[in-house]
Amino acid sequence: MAKKGKAEGLTGLRKAAILLVSVDTDTAAKIMSKLHTEDIERISMEIAHLDEVTPDVRDAVIREYYQTHLARKYLEQGGFEYARALLEKSLPAETAAEILSGLEQSIAQTPFHFLKKTEPENLLTFIQDEHPQTIALILAHLSSRQASEILSGLSAKKQIEVVKRVARMEQTTPEAIRQVEAGLETRLASIVGQDLEQAGGVENIAEILNLVDRTTEKGILENLEEEDPDMVEQIRRLMFVFEDILLVNDKGIQSVLKEVESDELALALKTASDELKNKIFKNMSERAATLIKEDMEYMGPVRVSDVEGAQQRIVDVVRRLEEAGEVIISGRGGEEEIVV
């Protein structure tokens, strides 16, 4: 039972459960969507077994999360000593040391952590002559932004080889990771091992390709489609999802709405966030928006599969219009292509 006045003694799993029930459902859903299936199951089970959580326990868990998040931010900005100095100014020295100790251990257990602060252009020079499987393993453990910059710098042939390997990658043994790290150790940094690591997969490569420029993405997918059209279809469907319509410019939203039937839109918006609904409605006439809202209100229960189908058809319209240059998606390089 979580009735202590502080978060001490609570397991990490229990703290995660308390944190998720302490935020709004949309935020909790976004957090859960970033976790592995096994972790989602464990946390869901923990939430199901949660009994009364007192306000002081809840506040302690949230405070610990915030402090840890702040420490990670400081570490990324200026390293360990920088983080220590800033945390000790705002927290008791013992608390700051405890937070940093936990983070230091966590970071040291992350594969290729020593590459994460390396500039992409330097890292590209460092690994571009490696075997595609080695590059794929490295990219799968970097941030999507860093990985996309490296992928863009590879030759067209190697891009395809690397993309295929990342997309098909599932679990990698600790020994395989250690061997690759050991090969890099003498040239860049020390190595660490880790338990079985989940990395790669179609979702990973879709996230990476979302961040490369449009020319690179198009070239990679067109070449890859000749070898594996099914994989390309999976990647394309994951690269832009319905909620990403938030990234479409207003003029683009209006172009999309011209090609979507009102009943299809009402169905697709059934599970959309309030932010997306508001963006859609503000690009419609007041009368049209009112009609859509009424359709949604009187629609009643619908199958999730029907909603997802409607959303996917609208996403297909967005991607077709983007290809035709009628839609600009923020973060996809469109802004740089505008000529005034």
Side-chain angles (χ1 to χ4, degrees):
M1 298 197 31
K3 294 186 179 180
K4 294 183 180 180
K6 297 181 180 180
E8 284 90 347
L10 297 178
T11 64
L13 192 61
R14 176 54 61 96
K15 291 177 184 178
I18 293 173
L19 178 65
L20 286 173
V21 299
S22 301
V23 299
D24 62 85
T25 53
D26 284 344
T27 301
K30 288 179 181 178
I31 295 172
M32 293 280 270
S33 70
K34 302 295 183 182
L35 304 177
H36 294 305
T37 303
E38 296 83 357
D39 293 328
I40 293 174
E41 292 174 353
R42 292 172 61 219
I43 292 176
S44 298
M45 185 67 69
E46 190 71 19
I47 290 175
H49 286 93
L50 268 182
D51 44 26
E52 179 186 354
V53 179
T54 60
D56 51 354
V57 170
R58 180 199 61 208
D59 293 346
V61 169
I62 294 175
R63 185 165 54 251
E64 181 179 321
Y65 167 77
Y66 173 73
Q67 291 169 346
T68 302
H69 173 75
L70 203 61
R72 284 188 179 277
K73 182 178 178 181
Y74 292 157
L75 278 171
E76 291 171 359
Q77 289 177 344
F80 190 82
E81 292 305 320
Y82 176 78
R84 183 198 299 278
L86 290 183
L87 287 174
E88 287 182 348
K89 285 183 178 180
S90 56
L91 300 173
E94 185 178 347
T95 303
E98 184 179 344
I99 291 172
L100 287 170
S101 176
L103 279 181
E104 193 174 27
Q105 292 176 27
S106 174
I107 292 170
Q109 292 172 353
T110 304
F112 306 104
H113 73 280
F114 53 88
L115 299 178
K116 296 182 188 294
K117 292 185 71 67
T118 305
E119 290 297 323
E121 58 268 25
N122 295 334
L123 187 52
L124 173 63
T125 302
F126 185 67
I127 69 172
Q128 64 184 352
D129 294 327
E130 297 286 343
H131 189 279
Q133 183 64 34
T134 300
I135 298 176
L137 182 61
I138 293 171
L139 295 195
H141 288 88
L142 298 178
S143 70
S144 296
R145 174 71 63 183
Q146 195 176 19
S148 70
E149 293 184 32
I150 293 170
L151 184 64
S152 297
L154 299 175
S155 67
K157 182 178 180 181
K158 186 158 283 189
Q159 284 176 344
I160 298 302
E161 292 300 315
V162 170
V163 165
K164 286 193 298 184
R165 284 167 168 79
V166 174
R168 291 170 178 162
M169 192 180 298
E170 294 183 353
Q171 291 182 328
T172 306
T173 63
E175 183 58 33
I177 293 176
R178 280 194 292 270
Q179 287 180 3
V180 175
E181 286 182 317
L184 302 176
E185 179 187 19
T186 55
R187 292 176 286 165
L188 204 60
S190 60
I191 67 170
V192 295
Q194 175 158 314
D195 292 337
L196 196 63
E197 173 71 17
Q198 182 75 34
V202 175
E203 294 86 354
N204 188 203
I205 199 61
E207 190 174 354
I208 292 172
L209 289 180
N210 255 336
L211 296 172
V212 302
D213 61 90
R214 290 288 288 116
T215 302
T216 299
E217 176 221 318
K218 187 175 181 180
I220 288 174
L221 292 181
E222 285 180 352
N223 290 324
L224 183 59
E225 193 165 25
E226 296 177 4
E227 297 186 33
D228 198 332
D230 290 339
M231 179 187 290
V232 170
E233 180 62 22
Q234 291 180 54
I235 292 172
R236 280 182 170 146
R237 286 186 176 276
L238 288 168
M239 283 182 64
F240 187 91
V241 296
F242 187 70
E243 199 67 23
D244 290 334
I245 292 176
L246 280 167
L247 303 176
V248 176
N249 63 325
D250 287 343
K251 184 178 179 181
I253 293 284
Q254 294 159 22
S255 297
V256 172
L257 292 176
K258 291 177 183 177
E259 302 201 19
V260 177
E261 297 293 336
S262 59
D263 56 343
E264 181 102 310
L265 179 61
L267 180 60
L269 290 176
K270 191 76 172 176
T271 60
S273 67
D274 290 339
E275 186 179 7
L276 179 55
K277 290 175 186 174
N278 292 335
K279 184 177 179 80
I280 296 289
F281 293 147
K282 82 171 187 177
N283 281 287
M284 306 171 69
S285 68
E286 186 175 345
R287 174 173 171 73
T290 299
L291 291 173
I292 293 293
K293 292 174 184 177
E294 289 177 353
D295 286 346
M296 293 171 61
E297 182 179 353
Y298 296 113
M299 188 179 298
V302 293
R303 290 193 295 266
V304 173
S305 59
D306 290 340
V307 175
E308 291 176 344
Q311 291 179 345
Q312 186 57 54
R313 287 188 289 274
I314 294 175
V315 165
D316 291 340
V317 171
V318 174
R319 289 190 61 83
R320 174 165 56 77
L321 292 179
E322 186 198 15
E323 287 291 334
E326 297 180 37
V327 163
I328 294 174
I329 301 175
S330 177
R332 301 278 292 150
E335 296 89 339
E336 298 174 359
E337 297 167 4
I338 297 175
V339 177
V340 179

